[in-house]
Amino acid sequence: MGKNLMKSPKTQNKMNREDFPILTQQVYNRPLVYLDNAATTQKPQVVIDALQHYYETINSNIHRGVHYLSQLATNEFEAARRCVQQFINAAHDYEIIFTRGATEAINLVAASFGRTYIQRGDEIIISEMEHHSNIVPWQFLCEDRGAVLRVIPISDEGMLDMEAYTELFTEKTKIVAVSHVSNTLGTINDVAEIVRIAHGHGVPVMLDGAQAVAHEPVDVQALDCDFYCFSGHKMYAPMGVGVMYGKERWLNEMKPYQGGGEMISSVTFEKTTYNDLPFKFEAGTPAVGDVIGLRIAIEYMQSIGVERIRDYETELLHYGMERLSQIEGIRFIGTAPHKAAVISFLLGSSHPYDVGVLLDHQGVAVRTGHHCTQPIMSHYGIPGTARASLALYSSKEDIDRLAEALLKAKSMLL
Ligand code: PMP
């Protein structure tokens, strides 16, 4: 025991679309072009195999079991925690808290940080480009505590107005919560600078990394952020697992999020004391198999190299922007110079939903709508966008198919 039982992926030096069985499918008699990766990525065979292997050979509840399988499952679960620690370069494995996803991770930070530190009149800085997951939990907190939200505006290119940001700080500012990469605009924010400015005011920063971790190398110590949240399912891992990284000093002081089994040290009706990190924040039975799948997904990305994935996707993004800009009437939403592989656009005066349906019928899957970022839509005065988002298995052929399908859609709509 103690050895990893799950098979790690072999090193490979290129993007292997064949590793993803779902992509070999046809939809409407056309080979599937999957360009909805910002919503969720597909899973490589090694991750699918890991889940099956887990349920066939290891499945058991963790941490409290004396028996053989429980110890195996516990070892694998804790190995996954160390893998995530190393992946984002956290200082300690107990700073990695497993959650159900980025949404739960952000709710955890807002609720626990809020219960511990936020008082009436305190201020919380977020931005105009946040996903609803990084707006609503802070609004809950503001309602509960009588705190106030302050919002960093964005430019028409889709970049944070850093000057306005610096001016938002007051004595009352208690935390900054912004996205690393925007799911709608693709903008990669200068999060190191955001942290530096906030720390200059003695204010901690939470980064929403849901759209960053699969596309950019992340080093939480280099960024010096206080919290970093992300979802497994957007980085080739199963749905139902995510991560909240927090610096030890905050996690030690913060009140727990949910109450239940595992997070306690002792319980009486008079008084309950809490477990040590990380368990204080992990009430109840976690998604053990999915956490193990997350480890395999990380190892899969590492077997290619996260920098290599980033460079490949950036090249593809440029190809895509170039190729689509040749279509007359296309309007890009989000044109920051430093962008991840997300292309949001409008086609003439047509509704993005109609564009999405016509692309779908040609086998091209994109997302349409407000992408859970209604304030961005208000900024541009639009109902939504069509969004093509790339992953490591995307190709120039996918972009070409998208462009051809768009031309056809245009001929039907405009
Ligand atoms: N933040 C951002 C930037 C996102 O794109 C998403 C998912 N679209 C989330 C948070 C929430 O992630 P999840 O739904 O996996 O909890």
Side-chain angles (χ1 to χ4, degrees), residues 278-299:
F279 311 112
K280 174 176 143 187
F281 289 103
E282 290 181 351
T285 301
V288 180
D290 299 331
V291 164
I292 293 169
L294 173 62
R295 183 192 115 212
I296 302 300
I298 289 173
E299 289 182 351

Side-chain angles (χ1 to χ4, degrees), residues 6 20 39-55 80 84 98-102 213 230-243 286-301:
M6 312 302 293
F20 296 81
T40 198
T41 56
Q42 301 302 347
K43 321 304 172 198
Q45 188 67 52
V46 282
V47 169
I48 299 168
D49 289 347
L51 283 180
Q52 183 171 356
H53 186 58
Y54 170 77
Y55 283 109
V84 174
F98 288 118
T99 64
R100 282 193 303 122
V213 275
F230 56 97
S231 289
H233 73 94
K234 293 181 197 284
M235 53 184 290
Y236 313 105
M239 287 184 172
V241 58
V243 171
V288 180
D290 299 331
V291 164
I292 293 169
L294 173 62
R295 183 192 115 212
I296 302 300
I298 289 173
E299 289 182 351
Y300 177 78
M301 287 176 62

Side-chain angles (χ1 to χ4, degrees), residues 38-39 101-104 106 131 133 179 181 183 208 210-211 231 233-234:
T103 300
E104 190 180 49
I106 297 168
H131 189 280
S133 295
S179 48
V181 172
N183 64 310
D208 171 1
Q211 295 295 341
S231 289
H233 73 94
K234 293 181 197 284

Side-chain angles (χ1 to χ4, degrees), residues 64-253:
R64 294 172 293 273
V66 288
H67 65 80
Y68 183 78
L69 285 187
S70 176
Q71 289 184 36
L72 285 189
T74 303
N75 286 346
E76 293 296 328
F77 187 83
E78 291 305 323
R81 198 187 305 277
R82 292 191 294 278
C83 174
V84 174
Q85 175 204 351
Q86 176 252 331
F87 179 62
I88 60 169
N89 193 32
H92 307 287
D93 59 357
Y94 49 79
E95 293 176 322
I96 305 299
I97 310 297
F98 288 118
T99 64
R100 282 193 303 122
T103 300
E104 190 180 49
I106 297 168
N107 274 277
L108 190 168
V109 178
S112 294
F113 186 92
R115 283 177 63 209
T116 315
Y117 302 108
I118 302 287
Q119 315 277 340
R120 173 162 294 282
D122 283 346
E123 294 173 8
I124 295 155
I125 298 179
I126 61 169
S127 91
E128 197 181 1
M129 69 165 75
E130 298 315 309
H131 189 280
H132 297 162
S133 295
N134 197 29
I135 300 174
V136 184
W138 301 106
Q139 288 176 325
F140 286 169
L141 177 60
C142 288
E143 263 174 42
D144 284 354
R145 296 265 148 172
V148 181
L149 267 193
R150 310 290 304 270
V151 182
I152 314 167
I154 56 170
S155 67
D156 288 345
E157 273 180 304
M159 294 167 73
L160 292 179
D161 180 340
M162 294 298 276
E163 223 176 285
Y165 168 57
T166 55
E167 284 161 17
L168 286 179
F169 286 88
T170 71
E171 254 106 77
K172 298 266 184 193
T173 311
K174 285 291 172 342
I175 189 164
V176 174
V178 292
S179 48
H180 189 168
V181 172
S182 159
N183 64 310
T184 298
L185 305 165
T187 312
I188 304 174
N189 289 319
D190 186 352
V191 283
E193 181 64 4
I194 287 169
V195 172
R196 197 188 63 75
I197 291 168
H199 285 184
H201 294 272
V203 172
V205 177
M206 189 218 84
L207 297 177
D208 171 1
Q211 295 295 341
V213 275
H215 310 282
E216 284 280 309
V218 172
D219 180 332
V220 290
Q221 290 189 82
L223 292 175
D224 201 23
C225 57
D226 299 273
F227 303 97
Y228 197 93
C229 302
F230 56 97
S231 289
H233 73 94
K234 293 181 197 284
M235 53 184 290
Y236 313 105
M239 287 184 172
V241 58
V243 171
M244 192 280 286
Y245 155 81
K247 278 185 186 163
E248 177 180 12
R249 71 158 274 223
W250 296 113
L251 298 186
N252 273 333
E253 281 183 13

Side-chain angles (χ1 to χ4, degrees), residues 24-33 360-364 401:
T24 59
Q25 278 184 95
Q26 303 241 331
V27 296
Y28 304 109
N29 296 322
R30 304 287 308 272
L32 169 66
V33 172
D360 179 51
H361 288 168
Q362 299 175 76
V364 179
R401 282 274 309 279

